[in-house]
Amino acid sequence: KALAAVTVARENMDILAGAPADVILFLAPVKTASRTALEAAWNSALIRLADDATLSKTDRLAALSGQIAIATMDKRKPDAAWQKQVQKRVSQLEQATTDAYERQSVVNAAAHALTDAGLLGESDVLLTAELKRSHSPYYFMSTLGANARQRGDKLAALNWYEQAYRAAKGPATRLQWGVNYVINIIELSPADEVRIQAALNSVVGELGATENAFYERNRNALERMAKKLSEWNKDGRHQSAMRKTALQLNDICTKLPAGDTQRLTCQSVMPKL
């Protein structure tokens, strides 16, 4: 009833578009007639939302991504005809977007939709073309890195992640992108200690000049990086690199005011290193 009700579906489009596979699998984990009916009803609601011109283009692309999530459930592989339709819809919405700020959001959503539909090459073409026009190209560089990683091209992936970090603007953003770069080096090229150490030196080196570096999202990012580094050094083979980073971080911790809770957070990260 909720899926069929136009107003109800529109008011809850964030759930309908953002988590269709999760909810469908929760409600109907087994392939049955009721599961098939639920998928069809959900897909119909998403088609209606994707066609709704009163919604933003980004929201309409989110509805399209929801359709893709349903179409690829249970490891189903989309056929070429279906992919062509997805590409056509993405292209229509992207080409209709001329405002530079709106394009940032639309191109990002469009590229992810193409990637999820198995159109990695088309996603790359869209993102690469947008790099020169974008005011924040590092978002697109990160997606290009993710696409390369999905294809198994580790070198290209790391180069894109590095470019994204170098291009990132703003202290908090640079920290988030820097941590992402470090984590990807560890996961894709764990033996490249030189590259990992250089990235760590850069990321940790900027912490001292980053306001609120040890609060909320920044803190979460640092803790994720520390956990990944700990896993990387679980056999003690990278103790020298870990020690250098710990000393570098300690220097930053001791310069924080004694009563500042950030100092405690900073020090709490260190034992993990």
Side-chain angles (χ1 to χ4, degrees):
K1 289 180 180 179
L3 292 168
V6 176
T7 302
V8 175
R10 194 181 190 284
E11 290 175 346
N12 292 278
M13 80 154 292
D14 57 334
I15 298 173
L16 298 190
D22 291 336
V23 180
I24 289 172
L25 289 173
F26 175 76
L27 295 173
V30 182
K31 294 180 182 179
T32 59
S34 61
R35 159 79 174 273
T36 301
L38 179 59
E39 284 188 26
W42 204 300
N43 196 58
S44 294
L46 289 171
I47 290 173
R48 196 168 61 239
L49 291 167
D51 289 337
D52 188 344
T54 67
L55 290 170
S56 71
K57 297 182 186 70
T58 301
D59 281 343
R60 293 172 69 184
L61 283 165
L64 177 62
S65 289
Q67 295 173 54
I68 295 168
I70 293 174
T72 55
M73 286 176 62
D74 303 316
K75 298 182 180 180
R76 290 177 292 203
K77 294 184 177 180
D79 59 50
W82 179 84
Q83 288 180 316
K84 189 174 181 178
Q85 288 301 312
V86 169
Q87 188 177 1
K88 180 180 178 180
R89 172 52 64 91
V90 167
S91 181
Q92 288 173 340
L93 292 170
E94 178 264 318
Q95 290 179 16
T97 308
T98 56
D99 179 80
Y101 291 94
E102 185 183 15
R103 282 191 66 80
Q104 185 71 22
S105 175
V106 168
V107 170
N108 184 57
H112 282 288
L114 291 171
T115 295
D116 292 344
L119 298 166
L120 293 175
E122 290 78 358
S123 177
D124 282 353
V125 169
L126 175 63
L127 292 166
T128 303
E130 199 69 17
L131 291 177
K132 294 180 181 179
R133 291 192 285 186
S134 173
H135 54 77
S136 303
Y138 45 90
Y139 283 93
F140 302 147
M141 292 171 181
S142 290
T143 306
L144 284 163
N147 285 352
R149 177 169 179 162
Q150 189 169 324
R151 283 195 300 270
D153 190 342
K154 296 180 181 180
L155 180 59
L158 288 178
N159 287 340
W160 278 120
Y161 286 129
E162 181 177 13
Q163 287 186 64
Y165 169 47
R166 302 303 175 199
K169 304 294 183 182
T173 301
R174 287 190 57 74
L175 175 57
Q176 299 288 328
W177 261 252
V179 165
N180 187 54
Y181 175 43
V182 170
I183 288 175
N184 273 282
I185 306 173
I186 293 172
E187 291 179 346
L188 297 177
S189 187
D192 193 349
E193 187 169 310
V194 172
R195 189 169 192 171
I196 293 170
Q197 184 70 72
L200 282 171
N201 289 345
S202 179
V203 173
V204 177
E206 291 185 34
L207 287 177
T210 302
E211 187 177 2
N212 298 323
F214 300 94
Y215 282 131
E216 299 178 353
R217 287 182 64 194
N218 290 344
R219 172 181 177 172
N220 292 337
L222 289 170
E223 289 181 341
R224 282 194 300 114
M225 185 176 74
K227 181 180 179 182
K228 182 61 65 174
L229 286 166
S230 181
E231 293 170 358
W232 176 59
N233 190 46
K234 62 182 178 181
D235 56 3
R237 294 176 62 186
H238 307 289
Q239 198 60 40
S240 177
M242 296 288 280
R243 189 176 297 110
K244 289 178 183 177
T245 301
L247 289 172
Q248 191 179 9
L249 184 59
N250 181 62
D251 185 55
I252 294 170
C253 294
T254 55
K255 291 178 181 177
L256 291 168
D260 192 336
T261 56
Q262 288 196 95
R263 183 168 183 169
L264 294 175
T265 302
C266 182
Q267 292 171 333
S268 73
V269 172
M270 290 187 58
K272 300 172 185 176
L273 298 175

